[in-house]
Amino acid sequence: MCGIVGYIGKEKCLEKIINGLESLEYRGYDSAGIAYKVKNHIRILKKEGRITNLKNDLDLQQDSFIGIGHTRWATHGRPCQLNSHPHQVGAITLVHNGIIENYEELKKELQYEPISETDSEVLAAYINQMYQESQDILSVLSTLEKKIIGSYALGILVEGEDKIYAIRKDSPLIIGRSEDGNFIASDVPAILQFTKKYQLLLNHEYAVLEKDHVIIFQDGKEVEREVLTFVGEKEATMKNGFAHFMLKEIYEQPKVIYDTVQCYIKDDYMNQMAFLDEFDAIDIVGCGSAYHAGLVGASLLKKYGDIPVQVAVASEYRYTKQFYQKNHLLIVISQSGETADTLAVLRNAKEQGIHTLTIVNVVGSSIAREADQVFYIKAGVEVAVATTKAYTCQLALLSLFACYLGIKRGILKEDVLSLYDDLGSQIETILKEDALIKDVAQFIQNKNDIFYLGRQVDYALCMEASLKLKEVSYLHSEAYAAGELKHGTISLIEEGTPVISLLTDEELFLKTLSNVKEVVSRGAFSVIITNQEIMDKTLYQKMIQLPKTLDLTGGILVMVVCQLLAYYVALYKECDIDKPRNLAKSVTVE
Ligand code: F6R
C-alpha cells in the first residue's frame, strides 16, 4: 500500500528516488510524485499513472540532493494528480503511507481548506499547524500519536531545513545507510541498487536524517539501532531474462522450496519442531493466499497431527469472539509480514496471553518482530503482486509441521521426509512440460466464468487456483467444494463452461469423480488435474497428470500447474501480469 522513498546525501537524489520507487511500484501504482530541493526551494511534481509518467517529465540530473517520493495506492480520493503525494501545506511537505481514521475531526481543527480529497493532505495541514505553533518539528513528531488515529509512515521535508524527517505507526518504514547518504523507504528492495545496509524504524518511532548521520527517537529519547545487512543479491529484485516477475518467481520454486525445507530438516528436525507438543489446539490466520495456505495446512495438521485446527481470514477473526483453550497456538501466515489485519490478530492474541507463531517471508517485518516464535520461509524477495513462491513455501513449511506430528503419533515414519527430495525435480518437470497448460489457457482465455472443483485439500487448493486466475487475468472464476455444486451453482454449467477439477485426494477421488460426471453430462469443458489414474476418457477434454505423491507435497505440484495456467491466460489476454489493476502487494491498511 503506497511506497515511500527518500534520499539525502552527497549525490544527486532524483535518479535514486525514481529508481527506488520503481522497485516499490508493486505496493501501489495509480499515481506517483516527488518533492525535491533545488537551491533551497522545494519543487513538486506529481503524475497520474505509472512512475514512468513522472520520470519522463523529470530532469534526473538536476542538482538536487534531498528529496522524497511516493507511489500511490488510492484509499481516500480517486487516483489523480491532485490526490497524489507529496502534499505541501505551509512549511510541511510530506508523503504518507497508511490511513488517517480521524481525518474528518482533524479537518475541523484546521485553519486551512484542503484542495485534495485525501486524508494525507489533512495530515500535512495538521502537522503544519502544530509546527507553526512550536517551530519545532521534533516536538511535533513526539506528540503526533496522541492526536492521530490510524496508521502512517511519513517522509517529511520542512521548509528551510536540509533534513528528512520520518515517523511510523503501524505502517512500515526502513532507513537505508550508505557512504554517500541516507534513505528512507517502505521496503528494503527500494534501496538495494545503492546499499544493502539498513536500520529498522520500529513502530511508534521517528527519526531525523541528515546527509552524514541519522538519529532515531523512541519515546522522545535518542536510541541506538543496529545497522543490518540485506542477505541476498540485488538481482533478486530483477527479472533476469524472464518476461515477468510472476514467471520468474514460479520458476524459482524448486530452489526456494528446497531452501525452506532444508532450513528445518537439515539439523535436528525433531527438536526444532518439538514445541508443537505443547499445544492442544491451533488457530491459523492470514489473508488471501496466506489464508489459503492455512486451509491446506489445517487439513494436513488434522489428518497427520490429530489436533483440532481452525482457520480464518484475519479481517474476520480479529472481530470474532475467540474461545481459546489453555494450550492454544495461534499461527499467523504472511508473506510481507506487514498485513494490517494479520498484524492486528497477532497483537490481540498476544494481549490475551496466547502463544503466537508466524510463518513469514520478510525478515525483520512487523509480524516477524512481534510474534513470539518465527518460522521464516526462504522464498526470497517476491516482487509480482500475485504471490506464487511464497505460497508454496508456506505449504512446504506447514507440511513439515504436520509431518512432525504425524511421526510423533506414529501415523508417519521418519523417512517420510525423503518426499521432499523429489519435490524439486517434480516441479521442474511441470515447468518444462507446460504445453498442455498453455493449451488449456488458450481455450479458457475467452470464457466468462471458470469453475474449480475439489474436496478437502483439493478444495483449499481450488480457492488459491481461482484467486490466482482472477487476480492476474481478470477472468471470473469460482472455487467450489465439489459436493456443494449441485446445491445451486450447477445451474450455471452449460455447453462449453470450463470446469477445472482437482483430484489428488485418493480417499475422495471417486466422490469427486462423480461430481465431474455431473458437470460433463451438462456440457462442461472438463479439465482434470490429478495424480490418480482415470481410464474413462469421456470425463475430460484435457487431463494434466501429476506424479503420485502424498498430499504433504502433492498440493505444491497442483499449485504450480494452476499458477502457470493463470499466468498464461493473463499473458494471452495481454494483462498487466505483475501489477494487476487495483491491487497492491503489501496491504498495510485495514
Ligand atoms: C494473492 C496475494 C494476496 C496476499 C494477501 C496477504 O496473490 O498475494 O492475497 O496473499 O494480501 O498478504 P501477506 O501474505 O503479505 O500477508
Side-chain angles (χ1 to χ4, degrees):
M1 300 275 120
C2 302
I4 291 176
V5 185
Y7 172 79
I8 175 165
K10 295 179 206 142
E11 296 194 349
K12 293 180 182 177
C13 72
L14 294 180
E15 198 157 15
K16 290 182 195 291
I17 294 171
I18 292 294
N19 192 306
L21 287 179
E22 281 170 337
S23 49
L24 284 186
E25 220 178 10
Y26 66 85
R27 299 179 70 89
Y29 32 83
D30 57 46
S31 52
I34 189 164
Y36 55 100
K37 260 184 125 170
V38 179
K39 292 190 186 141
N40 283 332
H41 287 292
I42 296 176
R43 292 187 185 168
I44 295 181
L45 185 68
K46 313 194 217 191
K47 288 280 162 186
E48 196 176 328
R50 297 288 163 90
I51 289 160
T52 334
N53 300 350
L54 182 70
K55 189 175 174 176
N56 291 344
D57 276 11
L58 207 56
D59 169 9
L60 295 178
Q61 295 317 320
Q62 285 179 78
D63 278 340
S64 174
F65 302 89
I66 309 178
I68 48 176
H70 187 266
T71 176
R72 181 168 185 249
W73 187 86
T75 56
H76 293 61
R78 77 217 128 81
C80 63
Q81 189 168 344
L82 193 64
N83 288 337
S84 49
H85 301 216
H87 291 285
Q88 186 175 54
V89 182
I92 300 297
T93 305
L94 62 74
V95 286
H96 169 219
N97 171 22
I99 289 185
I100 307 303
E101 290 169 16
N102 63 336
Y103 85 108
E104 290 289 3
E105 283 90 80
L106 296 178
K107 212 164 155 181
K108 289 184 200 139
E109 293 180 37
L110 293 179
Q111 293 134 20
Y112 170 83
E113 194 53 52
I115 51 173
S116 76
E117 301 160 294
T118 65
D119 53 340
S120 309
E121 190 195 2
V122 171
L123 182 63
Y126 196 81
I127 293 177
N128 180 55
Q129 205 157 290
M130 288 169 82
Y131 175 72
Q132 295 306 336
E133 282 160 21
S134 67
Q135 292 295 314
D136 177 358
I137 189 69
L138 286 177
S139 85
V140 171
L141 296 182
S142 71
T143 52
L144 201 60
E145 202 170 322
K146 295 196 185 92
K147 325 263 178 188
I148 310 294
I149 302 174
S151 57
Y152 47 87
L154 301 175
I156 305 172
L157 299 179
V158 179
E159 194 179 63
E161 291 194 26
D162 284 347
K163 292 174 186 169
I164 295 176
Y165 295 91
I167 183 165
R168 66 161 289 208
K169 180 183 165 270
D170 296 342
S171 284
L173 206 61
I174 57 111
I175 297 171
R177 306 295 303 262
S178 78
E179 291 289 298
D180 62 74
N182 299 309
F183 296 82
I184 53 167
S186 300
D187 205 350
V188 179
I191 57 165
L192 287 181
Q193 292 283 332
F194 314 106
T195 178
K196 285 185 168 186
K197 304 266 179 224
Y198 67 99
Q199 288 170 299
L200 296 172
L201 186 66
L202 302 183
N203 214 12
H204 313 288
E205 290 185 340
Y206 54 97
V208 51
L209 285 76
E210 295 187 50
K211 65 176 186 296
D212 43 16
H213 76 285
V214 170
I215 306 173
I216 298 176
F217 296 89
Q218 192 182 70
D219 297 328
K221 295 195 188 78
E222 284 185 39
V223 282
E224 291 297 316
R225 181 66 33 79
E226 188 188 353
V227 177
L228 304 169
T229 305
F230 173 80
V231 185
E233 293 308 315
K234 69 173 190 291
E235 284 68 34
T237 60
M238 294 167 158
K239 285 192 201 139
N240 297 343
F242 284 91
H244 297 95
F245 279 109
M246 183 177 177
L247 192 63
K248 174 187 167 231
E249 288 161 7
I250 291 174
Y251 270 72
E252 279 172 354
Q253 290 177 113
K255 177 178 184 312
V256 295
I257 294 171
Y258 175 84
D259 292 347
T260 302
V261 170
Q262 282 307 309
C263 179
Y264 298 103
I265 66 175
K266 197 170 61 198
D267 319 303
D268 212 2
Y269 165 68
M270 293 304 275
N271 253 337
Q272 285 199 69
M273 298 286 157
F275 72 93
L276 284 165
D277 297 337
E278 290 164 33
F279 301 102
D280 302 324
I282 303 177
D283 284 6
I284 306 182
V285 179
C287 298
S289 300
Y291 161 66
H292 296 156
L295 289 171
V296 176
S299 212
L300 299 176
L301 282 162
K302 284 192 257 189
K303 178 171 172 185
Y304 296 108
D306 211 12
I307 185 167
V309 187
Q310 295 198 79
V311 194
V313 286
S315 53
E316 287 298 312
Y317 187 93
R318 67 183 288 188
Y319 297 115
T320 308
K321 184 169 176 185
Q322 301 304 329
F323 297 90
Y324 290 120
Q325 296 186 25
K326 194 158 148 265
N327 298 316
H328 213 118
L329 171 67
L330 174 75
I331 301 181
V332 295
I333 306 180
S334 177
Q335 186 286 126
S336 63
E338 299 294 348
T339 303
D341 286 314
T342 312
L343 187 56
V345 166
L346 173 75
R347 288 179 178 158
N348 291 346
K350 282 184 74 176
E351 267 169 30
Q352 294 182 57
I354 299 304
H355 186 78
T356 58
L357 178 156
T358 184
I359 293 178
V360 66
N361 190 34
V362 177
V363 177
S365 54
S366 302
I367 289 177
R369 285 198 314 273
E370 294 188 32
D372 298 317
Q373 206 175 350
V374 182
F375 276 76
Y376 281 113
I377 53 167
K378 302 286 171 184
V381 180
E382 196 179 60
V383 177
V385 165
T387 183
T388 51
K389 58 177 182 168
Y391 169 83
T392 48
C393 285
Q394 289 159 359
L395 292 195
L397 186 46
L398 285 160
S399 76
L400 289 181
F401 287 2
C403 268
Y404 167 80
L405 289 175
I407 294 167
K408 284 289 284 203
R409 313 247 189 288
I411 299 173
L412 296 168
K413 299 219 174 70
E414 212 163 316
D415 66 2
V416 68
L417 294 177
S418 64
L419 261 186
Y420 298 93
D421 297 341
D422 301 331
L423 194 52
S425 60
Q426 288 168 335
I427 298 174
E428 261 151 24
T429 309
I430 296 171
L431 296 174
K432 264 190 237 130
E433 294 167 12
D434 64 355
L436 197 51
I437 301 173
K438 286 178 176 159
D439 255 20
V440 177
Q442 282 287 2
F443 178 79
I444 66 175
Q445 61 164 318
N446 297 318
K447 298 286 177 179
N448 293 325
D449 299 295
I450 318 288
F451 293 86
Y452 279 92
L453 288 194
R455 286 172 188 258
Q456 295 291 306
V457 170
D458 285 331
Y459 175 44
L461 294 166
C462 281
M463 291 167 87
E464 175 60 10
S466 171
L467 175 65
K468 213 82 309 171
L469 185 65
K470 276 188 274 231
E471 65 185 327
V472 297
S473 76
Y474 314 143
L475 265 188
H476 173 243
S477 79
E478 293 286 344
Y480 257 84
E484 202 42 32
L485 197 72
K486 52 177 149 320
H487 296 287
T489 313
I490 201 160
S491 66
L492 294 171
I493 307 292
E494 51 188 37
E495 206 54 43
T497 305
V499 177
I500 303 172
S501 308
L502 308 188
L503 290 102
T504 65
D505 186 327
E506 199 168 352
E507 282 166 35
L508 295 170
F509 170 67
L510 289 176
K511 303 266 180 216
T512 310
L513 208 59
S514 308
N515 304 125
V516 173
K517 282 185 190 144
E518 289 160 6
V519 292
V520 166
S521 53
R522 282 154 183 90
F525 178 88
S526 165
V527 179
I528 291 181
I529 303 174
T530 187
N531 53 18
Q532 307 291 314
E533 269 183 46
I534 300 177
M535 302 313 237
D536 184 351
K537 292 200 162 75
T538 64
L539 292 182
Y540 56 86
Q541 270 74 26
K542 306 274 177 199
M543 181 166 75
I544 296 169
Q545 187 78 53
L546 297 173
K548 214 170 170 108
T549 175
L550 285 186
D551 48 6
L552 288 161
T553 57
I556 293 175
L557 301 181
V558 170
M559 199 44 59
V560 175
V561 173
C562 297
Q563 292 166 349
L564 283 172
L565 183 62
Y567 174 80
Y568 284 115
V569 175
L571 187 73
Y572 299 149
K573 291 186 71 190
E574 297 181 7
C575 298
D576 196 347
I577 296 180
D578 288 334
K579 298 186 187 88
R581 69 180 173 220
N582 302 339
L583 295 179
K585 183 138 190 86
S586 184
V587 185
T588 53
V589 294
E590 194 174 341

